[in-house]
């Protein structure tokens, strides 16, 4: 699957955004030879399995200029890098506890001239900052994740939707989400018709998630 899959769902990209998305594949292929941040089978399907999957968040929530988004356990830069390209006026912080992954993220940022991303080698618990939204792709069960990011979400929302967690995950989520009364779960197949997304979900957990 090539870059046209992105244009299919996001037809209003600027020329600069198209150029950045185009470069992604070559940069990741080059770095994946040195440091395996994307599975071998996925690198050929980068645009659907990583880029478009990340952009499901954008179908649910448009980020306003000058808001701040944290990507926890970003790995090779997903979902943060594609979202940062799509929302160039939003500030993104991408954090991962594994240094070599953050090294790749920094190289991608530099190669694509992405100016609204900061990559940090750290555990999220050690960050002393707050954000409008926290995004991630299935780095832990939700109760564990909520514990990690406690106190990291700003109380005052600038969007119509309350600040909170936007989490990309697949499979049966009933058990791990049962304690959260206000959680909302959306099938990504509502946004994208490709078979890959049939079991994928977007989980929205507002900051006030109990009672």
């Amino acid at each position: 699957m090539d870059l046209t899959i992105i244009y299919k769902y996001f037809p209003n990209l600027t020329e600069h955004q198209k150029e950045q998305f185009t470069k992604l594949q070559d940069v990741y292929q080059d770095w994946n030879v040195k440091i395996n941040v994307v599975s071998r089978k996925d690198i050929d399907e980068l645009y659907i399995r990583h880029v478009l999957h990340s952009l499901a968040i954008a179908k649910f929530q448009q980020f306003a200029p000058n808001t701040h988004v944290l990507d926890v356990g970003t790995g090779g830069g997903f979902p943060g890098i594609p979202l940062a390209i799509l929302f160039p006026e939003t500030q993104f912080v991408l954090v991962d506890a594994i240094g070599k992954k953050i090294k790749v993220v920094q190289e991608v940022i530099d190669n694509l001239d992405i100016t609204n991303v900061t990559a940090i080698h750290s555990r999220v618990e050690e960050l002393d900052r707050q954000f409008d939204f926290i995004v991630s792709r299935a780095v832990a069960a939700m109760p564990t994740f909520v514990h990690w990011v406690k106190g990291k979400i700003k109380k005052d929302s600038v969007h119509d939707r309350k600040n909170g967690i936007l989490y990309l995950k697949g499979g049966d989520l009933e058990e791990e989400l049962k304690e959260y009364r206000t959680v909302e779960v959306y099938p990504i197949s509502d946004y994208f018709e490709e078979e890959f997304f049939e079991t994928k979900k977007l989980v929205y957990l507002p900051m006030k998630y109990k009672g």
Side-chain angles (χ1 to χ4, degrees):
M1 192 69 70
D2 64 12
L3 189 60
T4 55
I5 191 75
I6 307 301
Y7 301 160
K8 174 181 174 181
Y9 292 106
F10 297 90
N12 299 319
L13 298 173
T14 66
E15 288 307 312
H16 184 55
Q17 287 171 320
K18 289 178 181 178
E19 186 181 325
Q20 288 176 313
F21 278 125
T22 301
K23 283 183 179 178
L24 270 183
Q25 176 112 32
D26 287 343
V27 175
Y28 276 109
Q29 280 184 324
D30 183 44
W31 272 96
N32 225 45
V33 174
K34 307 168 194 170
I35 300 172
N36 189 22
V37 291
V38 178
S39 73
R40 304 273 186 234
K41 65 180 180 182
D42 278 5
I43 198 73
D44 293 333
E45 299 280 345
L46 185 79
Y47 286 111
I48 188 166
R49 295 188 173 208
H50 294 281
V51 180
L52 191 60
H53 189 203
S54 297
L55 294 176
I57 289 172
K59 288 294 187 184
F60 178 76
Q61 176 65 53
Q62 296 277 304
F63 297 122
N66 300 316
T67 55
H68 292 80
V69 178
L70 173 65
D71 177 5
V72 175
T74 188
F78 302 102
I81 293 282
L83 290 171
I85 293 173
L86 198 64
F87 299 105
E89 295 181 357
T90 299
Q91 300 303 310
F92 289 83
V93 172
L94 277 53
V95 64
D96 203 287
I98 299 174
K100 66 180 183 179
K101 292 185 176 180
I102 286 297
K103 181 179 180 180
V104 173
V105 170
Q106 190 60 57
E107 289 292 333
V108 174
I109 292 167
D110 294 344
N111 272 275
L112 272 60
D113 191 27
I114 303 173
T115 58
N116 57 325
V117 175
T118 303
I120 300 175
H121 175 210
S122 173
R123 293 175 56 194
V124 65
E125 301 96 314
E126 294 164 3
L127 287 186
D128 187 23
R129 293 175 59 181
Q130 290 190 320
F131 301 84
D132 297 281
F133 283 97
I134 296 178
V135 302
S136 190
R137 283 209 308 177
V139 294
M142 188 60 89
T144 301
F145 190 80
V146 168
H147 177 71
W148 287 351
V149 302
K150 189 174 182 180
K152 302 281 191 289
I153 300 173
K154 293 179 183 177
K155 288 186 170 64
D156 295 330
S157 301
V158 297
H159 302 86
D160 291 339
R161 188 173 280 121
K162 286 182 181 175
N163 293 348
I165 294 168
L166 298 170
Y167 208 50
L168 297 170
K169 203 153 191 199
D172 186 357
L173 305 175
E174 188 175 347
E175 184 64 28
E176 70 178 85
L177 297 179
K178 66 182 182 183
E179 67 181 273
Y180 305 109
R181 293 186 188 178
T182 59
V183 72
E184 299 173 18
V185 181
Y186 298 87
I188 293 180
S189 57
D190 285 356
Y191 310 130
F192 307 138
E193 65 184 7
E194 285 69 26
E195 186 180 346
F196 175 74
F197 298 108
E198 281 182 6
T199 60
K200 302 288 190 289
K201 311 271 192 350
L202 186 149
V203 179
Y204 167 52
L205 186 62
M207 190 179 75
K208 288 193 73 171
Y209 51 82
K210 290 185 178 175

